[in-house]
């Protein structure tokens, strides 16, 4: 899909990166209620596990309550600073013991259970200094699914969640208007560009659209920095109405109201790049 003087590529206004690879999903990832039942709620954050979880643009509400991931990096750092550090000791063992001695018994028990399952010897986990610490997680303002079905949805990360490798993080340049960028990425212009740049992937009983990082970098957008204030306002107003409609419909995706709001957003985005095609009503 060719650039025009009023368009740019996603990779020119944002950096894309892969979501998190845990190395032991059965240990690090769980349904929210299951992790809460184990007493691990204070040590988790919302997770986007797979694109089937995506039902609306704003990552909030029910879709943000479905899955969580163990996020204990700050606590691990605290334990490392406060525990005795002997030469050639095992930091994973030292931190684990600190948890037991300082009121984090449930977390200690969970790590011991994980070791009994052999998760600490998984290749990815074994390469870490402390196998159960995923490090400081990238919390991007937007995420794009690797796979998509009927609709193009780029997520607005309201709940500061993280994605698995089924998602790519979108970190806009410091000069970019984040919300305006997200609005444009949820237009059918971006969807069409994604379809052209990406490929079809089978599986799960249906054909899906798949996009690699380098292909996602080529998604076509209006030149964000050159959109006039009136056209910015039109795009953002349309985006707000789309988000409002999604919230009112509670995750329902097949709706005439949503289609109508998407049409308004599309028209605003196409107007911003100088298109005179207003055939969608």
């Amino acid at each position: 899909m060719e650039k025009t003087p009023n368009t740019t590529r996603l990779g020119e206004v944002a950096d894309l990166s892969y979501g998190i690879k845990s190395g032991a999903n059965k240990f690090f990832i769980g349904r929210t209620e299951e992790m809460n039942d184990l007493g691990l709620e204070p040590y988790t954050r919302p997770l986007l596990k797979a694109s089937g979880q995506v039902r609306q643009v704003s990552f909030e509400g029910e879709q943000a309550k479905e899955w969580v991931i163990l996020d204990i990096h700050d606590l691990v750092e605290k334990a490392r600073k406060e525990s005795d550090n002997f030469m050639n000791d095992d930091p994973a063992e030292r931190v684990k013991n600190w948890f037991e001695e300082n009121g984090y018994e449930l977390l200690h028990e969970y790590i011991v259970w994980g070791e009994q399952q052999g998760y600490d010897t998984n290749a990815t986990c074994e390469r870490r200094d402390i196998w159960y610490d995923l490090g400081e997680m990238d919390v991007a303002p937007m995420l794009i699914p690797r796979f998509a079905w009927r609709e193009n949805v780029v997520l607005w990360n309201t709940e500061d969640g993280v994605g698995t490798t089924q998602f790519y993080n979108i970190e806009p340049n410091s000069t970019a208007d984040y919300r305006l960028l997200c609005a444009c990425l949820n237009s059918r212009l971006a969807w069409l560009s994604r379809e052209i740049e990406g490929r079809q992937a089978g599986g799960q009983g249906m054909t899906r659209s798949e996009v690699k990082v380098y292909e996602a970098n080529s998604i076509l957008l209006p030149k964000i920095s050159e959109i006039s204030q009136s056209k910015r306002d039109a795009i953002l107003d349309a985006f707000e109405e789309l988000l409002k409609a999604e919230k009112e419909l509670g995750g329902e995706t097949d709706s005439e109201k949503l289609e109508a709001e998407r049409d308004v957003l599309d028209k605003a985005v196409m107007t911003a790049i100088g298109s005179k095609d207003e055939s969608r009503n």
Side-chain angles (χ1 to χ4, degrees):
M1 196 168 182
E2 294 297 321
K3 282 177 60 175
T4 69
N6 295 325
T7 60
T8 188
R9 303 287 187 185
L10 177 57
E12 295 174 3
V13 295
D15 293 323
L16 273 67
S17 61
Y18 291 96
I20 197 161
K21 181 179 180 181
S22 76
N25 284 355
K26 289 184 179 180
F27 176 82
F28 290 103
I29 294 171
R31 291 191 177 276
T32 303
E33 61 271 21
E34 294 170 354
M35 297 294 264
N36 291 354
D37 288 345
L38 292 170
L40 299 174
E41 182 178 6
Y43 316 118
T44 61
R45 74 161 59 241
L47 175 75
L48 279 156
K49 184 173 183 286
S51 53
Q53 188 180 348
V54 176
R55 294 182 291 275
Q56 60 187 38
V57 173
S58 286
F59 182 56
E60 61 184 14
E62 291 306 312
Q63 69 175 345
K65 295 176 182 177
E66 192 170 354
W67 294 93
V68 291
I69 188 167
L70 196 68
D71 180 10
I72 58 172
H73 179 65
D74 289 346
L75 189 58
V76 166
E77 290 300 295
K78 176 180 171 68
R80 295 186 78 152
K81 289 177 183 177
E82 295 185 5
S83 58
D84 293 327
N85 184 6
F86 299 104
M87 188 176 296
N88 298 324
D89 76 343
D90 179 354
E93 192 69 20
R94 173 161 51 90
V95 169
K96 182 178 67 175
N97 291 337
W98 184 93
F99 288 159
E100 184 180 29
E101 295 164 1
N102 288 272
Y104 302 96
E105 291 87 356
L106 289 175
L107 184 56
H108 172 268
E109 291 172 9
Y110 188 65
I111 293 168
V112 170
W113 171 82
E115 290 171 343
Q116 290 170 347
Q117 310 309 306
Y119 296 134
D120 57 322
T121 61
N122 287 3
T124 300
C125 296
E126 203 168 28
R127 285 195 293 270
R128 298 189 188 112
D129 190 25
I130 295 179
W131 75 268
Y132 47 82
D133 178 18
L134 291 172
E136 190 167 352
M137 297 184 184
D138 290 331
V139 180
M142 288 162 262
L143 298 100
I144 182 170
R146 176 183 166 193
F147 296 101
W149 279 271
R150 290 179 299 174
E151 285 288 351
N152 171 52
V153 176
V154 172
L155 290 129
W156 182 248
N157 194 9
T158 308
E159 292 292 330
D160 289 337
V162 295
T164 65
T165 53
Q166 295 295 300
F167 295 85
Y168 307 130
N169 300 314
I170 301 175
E171 192 64 56
N173 299 342
S174 58
T175 56
D177 183 323
Y178 287 19
R179 204 164 181 86
L180 183 62
L181 176 59
C182 191
C184 292
L185 283 169
N186 278 285
S187 70
R188 291 191 181 96
L189 170 65
W191 173 241
L192 177 60
S193 181
R194 174 190 170 122
E195 288 282 289
I196 292 171
E197 300 296 340
R199 74 279 310 280
Q200 297 299 307
Q204 300 188 17
M206 64 180 72
T207 300
R208 300 171 292 171
S209 165
E210 180 184 8
V211 66
K212 304 290 188 181
V213 167
Y214 70 91
E215 294 164 341
N217 274 317
S218 295
I219 290 175
L220 201 64
L221 299 164
K223 277 190 176 176
I224 303 294
S225 60
E226 297 181 12
I227 300 176
S228 69
Q229 189 60 54
S230 62
K231 291 176 181 177
R232 283 172 178 260
D233 291 344
I235 292 172
L236 289 172
D237 287 348
F239 188 52
E240 291 302 321
E241 289 301 313
L242 174 62
L243 298 183
K244 187 189 299 183
E246 287 185 333
K247 195 167 186 177
E248 290 173 358
L249 292 165
E252 181 185 341
T253 57
D254 190 10
S255 162
E256 290 184 4
K257 181 173 177 58
L258 278 183
E259 287 298 303
E261 298 300 350
R262 284 189 177 277
D263 287 346
V264 175
L265 176 60
D266 290 342
K267 182 177 179 180
V269 170
M270 295 304 290
T271 299
I273 62 173
S275 171
K276 297 181 180 179
D277 180 6
E278 301 180 3
S279 59
R280 295 191 66 92
N281 295 310

